[in-house]
Amino acid sequence: MSKPMTIIEFMKLFPDDDACLEHLFKARYGYDHECDKCHETGKWHRLSRMPAYTCQCGHHIHPMVGTPFHKSHTPLQKWFYAMYLFTTTRHGVPAKELQRQLSVNYKTAWRMGHQIRKYLALVDGDPPLSGHIEIDETMIGGHRPGKRGRSAAGKTVVLGMAQRGGDIITRIVPDVKRTTLERHIIYKVDRNSTISTDELNSYKRLSMYGYRHESVNHVQGEWVRGEHHTNTIEGFWSLLKRSISGTHVHVSARHLSKYLGEFEFRWNLRHDPARMFPHLLRRLATSQSRA
Ligand SMILES: [Zn+2]
């Protein structure tokens, strides 16, 4: 298990904008990037007057073009520091804190936070979960406690699938009908898996699809039966909900998928936190974000 990057390590790696640009170049093009024009590899050096690199033949590349850093007035090092904060927190980074730590105005901080979240929430097309999976749904947002089984006003239903010792996958769903939930489960959980849920009727037919399924009856106060419980996914819900209510005034349904993706990202890399920052940087450098 790796350790998360410390602030000292961050400052050593990224002492200024130039160092950040160098890392962005490497993350985007690698060490031996081939020139489109002369087809030589690895003959790049930094131009002094602009954030760009030139090949020995005179061909230029601009590592920031096509990334959120391009056309941003915020210096690259502040972006990197914001990404650092997102990969070292447990509870998320509110815009207020970004504003304070980066000395930027609130609007800029808010925008940066959402940009970074978009990339945290990118779906990499991970393989389906397998092994022992806990499945549960929850309702997020709105002002009144909602009743299960119907979507209470302003609330968003989220389905969560947690592989014990492995990844979590969440999906925003329109309702908790059996057909709705089954569709996502069949798609994302390997057929030979064991599944633990609670007593909700919508989960009752999972064994018909080849799953070894058991439920615990929360309504009757039963929390564990043998190896079956849903503590992992419930731990994830409570971290998510505490963080949302503690650090964010309101999370709209529109933005919720990004918050879910952000928490999934950290959860799924929890055993290897040193990978979080480089992983996020690679996404910003190379991917198209989930708009
Ligand atoms: Zn060249």
Side-chain angles (χ1 to χ4, degrees), residues 34-40 43-44 54-59:
E34 182 186 319
C35 176
D36 287 343
K37 219 168 150 191
C38 72
H39 303 289
E40 285 282 347
K43 303 287 186 189
W44 302 96
T54 183
C55 176
Q56 56 173 14
C57 73
H59 181 57

